[in-house]
Amino acid sequence: MTAQAISLRGVNKHYGALPVLEQVAFDVAQGETVALLGTSGCGKSTLLNIVAGLVDPDAGELWIDGRRAEGARERHALAYMFQEDRLLPWRTARANAAFGLEAQQPPVPKRERHARANAALELVGLGAFGDAHPHQLSGGMRSRVALARSLVTEPRILLMDEPFSKLDPQTREQMHHELLRIRDLQQMTVLFVTHDVEEAVVLADRVVVLAPRPGRVRDIVEVDLPRPRVATDPAVAEAIRQLRLLI
């Protein structure tokens, strides 16, 4: 039986009198890639923030790697890639990539931070751009630096909130390939938010479809198609069509 990296049980969340999530429950197996898909207002990002430990649920349980997650100290295995790249403009790509190591306890020595940031940049194909500043990089390269920053802590679980939504289609496709390559190489679990049905089918092993107001699980769809997946392939196109009917 495959171990679960993430388990949610009966998760509820309100903001004031507004119900945002209601009785959300699903599992993400270790090494699996799962998409959270739904229309605006269905609570996708709130749910991801609960998993990340940035938001507390009002009710329900969250388990990470088989342990009840009750604080940031329990979530050291997670990394979060935001929708915006959030690179610090005065820092080089290397220094931005190393940022995730600076708050770790015990402290990571500067020389080790430097070496691990270089390794993360090599992993995303930017080994030659460690001294470049964000304004010198394209949008796709900035996204790669943001991904390197997420990977530098060597997480077992990567959370992503629509990280490729602002990229042009060609660059987004390249980032999809990079993400899957790195996931396999690092044996990571990935949980990501998207509003793009095509992206969900291309990347995910399973898709959790959320219904809106309040957000709740409408369906969980397995994407049992070989990779790489191209949207123009008839089987992939049919999976995209079927998934759109559920939203």
Side-chain angles (χ1 to χ4, degrees):
M1 184 176 179
T2 304
Q4 304 302 329
I6 302 169
S7 294
L8 296 109
R9 295 288 178 267
V11 169
N12 290 356
K13 182 65 185 178
H14 289 72
Y15 286 121
L18 178 67
V20 178
L21 296 170
E22 181 178 80
Q23 291 297 303
V24 174
F26 63 88
D27 297 320
V28 181
Q30 290 181 1
E32 187 178 28
T33 297
V34 171
L36 297 175
L37 178 69
T39 58
S40 296
C42 70
K44 301 185 298 294
S45 293
T46 298
L47 186 56
L48 198 72
N49 287 336
I50 287 173
V51 176
L54 303 176
V55 173
D56 291 325
D58 296 328
E61 296 181 354
L62 168 65
W63 296 73
I64 302 292
D65 285 340
R67 293 192 302 165
R68 181 80 176 266
E70 296 179 340
R73 67 185 183 280
E74 299 290 342
R75 296 185 170 99
H76 64 278
L78 282 71
Y80 199 127
M81 187 173 175
F82 295 91
Q83 186 172 7
E84 305 289 342
D85 61 54
R86 301 191 179 190
L87 300 184
L88 300 175
W90 59 88
R91 285 185 170 227
T92 64
R94 182 184 300 106
N96 269 290
F99 185 75
L101 296 171
E102 293 179 9
Q104 283 200 335
Q105 293 297 328
V108 179
K110 184 176 181 180
R111 181 175 296 181
E112 183 180 344
R113 294 201 306 267
H114 184 97
R116 287 172 63 176
N118 281 339
L121 289 173
E122 287 284 352
L123 191 62
V124 300
L126 288 180
F129 292 87
D131 293 322
H133 285 80
H135 73 273
Q136 299 172 303
L137 303 173
S138 68
M141 294 168 80
R142 289 172 62 104
S143 289
R144 288 172 185 262
V145 175
L147 180 57
R149 182 182 57 203
S150 297
L151 297 173
V152 75
T153 59
E154 300 174 355
R156 296 191 300 276
I157 300 169
L158 177 62
L159 309 176
M160 303 191 304
D161 189 0
E162 301 194 61
F164 310 134
S165 60
K166 297 185 182 302
L167 301 178
D168 63 83
Q170 182 177 359
T171 305
R172 186 163 59 245
E173 183 178 351
Q174 291 173 350
M175 289 303 298
H176 290 167
H177 288 304
E178 279 296 290
L179 174 65
L180 293 173
R181 178 184 67 82
I182 293 168
R183 181 204 68 166
D184 292 342
L185 188 65
Q186 304 288 86
Q187 298 182 319
M188 285 190 307
T189 302
V190 180
L191 177 64
F192 71 99
V193 163
T194 186
H195 65 272
D196 187 327
V197 178
E198 181 179 313
E199 182 170 66
V201 171
V202 166
L203 288 179
D205 300 306
R206 288 186 303 137
V207 181
V208 177
V209 181
L210 297 177
R213 291 178 290 276
R216 58 202 184 280
V217 177
R218 173 174 286 166
D219 205 345
I220 299 179
V221 178
E222 184 175 356
V223 186
D224 188 16
L225 296 170
R227 291 190 174 93
R229 300 171 188 160
V230 181
T232 53
D233 179 272
V236 176
E238 177 60 17
I240 292 169
R241 188 187 72 82
Q242 292 289 340
L243 194 54
R244 283 201 174 107
L245 297 175
L246 298 175
I247 300 175

